[in-house]
Amino acid sequence: MTKLSVNINKVATVRNARGGNVPDVVGFAIDCQNLGAQGITVHPRPDQRHIRYQDVLDLKPIMIEEFNIEGNPVPQFIDLVKKVVPAQVTLVPDAENVLTSNAGWDTVRNRDYLRDIVAEFKSAGIRVSVFVDPVAEMVEGAAKIGADRIELYTEAYAHNYIYDREQAILPYVKAASVAQSNGLGINAGHDLSLENLKYFHARIPYVDEVSIGHALISDALYLGLAETIRRYLICLQ
């Protein structure tokens, strides 16, 4: 079964809007795990506009399921990840001024840079996933730098799903096949939702993990957290 990892950045965004500790990020992560989520994802950024570095440290002791830390591997991020030693680190090439991640790595152009970082994390016993667009060359590049997995950047799929879901999924099916043939595990994330997740999983049932934050947290405002997680898990059965 494909694992559901809940990205809790948006919970931290709400907390930070008022200060204090409401909602409680750590408590929310505990609840997600107790309700059936098989992982928690955080994406700390240098400006700490949502998840803070201290949150990452606070979350580590309460993790029952897999902990996935995403981010651009700047020195401060590398130090944090090596201190926490999560199950997985996902390397994302986001600039400091972007609102949200908007592109995958060019694993060919950044080959030497990424190879060294991947090796550093793997030597610490951390599984490494690399965020990529659904392009065969980029997937093959991730394998060549020693990554354990790729995370397919699914914004294009989500955007085009409402127009032609078959055409929208085709690049991802092809990229996933290339990943399999190169011995890579497959994760996916960005704009996956209750609307489009079931079809994505039906076409690529061997995806190891999906990381979902914005849509899931938004759904929970209407459905409640327990019902929301239940529905996402059904999509992955």
Side-chain angles (χ1 to χ4, degrees), residues 27-92:
F28 192 89
I30 292 171
D31 289 340
C32 287
Q33 294 173 95
N34 288 338
L35 291 168
Q38 298 103 341
I40 298 294
T41 292
V42 293
H43 189 145
R45 287 182 166 87
D47 62 9
Q48 303 195 69
R49 64 180 180 267
H50 35 62
I51 286 290
R52 301 166 180 156
Y53 278 36
Q54 184 59 48
D55 292 328
V56 180
L57 297 171
D58 292 342
L59 285 162
K60 173 63 175 179
I62 60 89
M63 291 305 303
I64 305 166
E65 305 294 343
E66 285 201 353
F67 197 15
N68 173 44
I69 305 177
E70 299 180 338
N72 195 334
V74 297
Q76 187 180 7
F77 178 86
I78 292 173
D79 291 344
L80 175 69
V81 173
K82 290 176 68 176
K83 184 175 182 179
V84 173
V85 191
Q88 177 175 270
V89 60
T90 301
L91 308 183
V92 183

Side-chain angles (χ1 to χ4, degrees), residues 72-138:
N72 195 334
V74 297
Q76 187 180 7
F77 178 86
I78 292 173
D79 291 344
L80 175 69
V81 173
K82 290 176 68 176
K83 184 175 182 179
V84 173
V85 191
Q88 177 175 270
V89 60
T90 301
L91 308 183
V92 183
D94 53 347
E96 290 189 23
N97 60 343
V98 299
L99 182 63
T100 186
S101 306
N102 57 14
W105 283 101
D106 184 330
T107 57
V108 176
R109 181 175 298 177
N110 296 286
R111 180 187 59 190
D112 294 338
Y113 170 68
L114 289 171
R115 180 189 288 132
D116 291 344
I117 292 170
V118 169
E120 184 172 359
F121 283 133
K122 290 180 72 170
S123 69
I126 303 167
R127 184 174 70 235
V128 182
S129 178
V130 177
F131 194 65
V132 295
D133 296 305
V135 177
E137 187 180 18
M138 298 302 110

Side-chain angles (χ1 to χ4, degrees), residues 169-218:
I169 197 66
L170 280 179
Y172 294 87
V173 173
K174 293 176 181 177
S177 177
V178 172
Q180 272 198 319
S181 66
N182 280 273
L184 291 167
I186 304 165
N187 298 338
H190 205 94
D191 290 347
L192 294 174
S193 67
L194 287 176
E195 179 182 19
N196 58 46
L197 179 60
K198 185 174 182 179
Y199 182 72
F200 185 91
H201 182 251
R203 292 300 308 275
I204 317 175
Y206 47 86
V207 167
D208 294 292
E209 172 189 294
V210 292
S211 175
I212 304 177
H214 183 82
L216 190 151
I217 302 303
S218 299

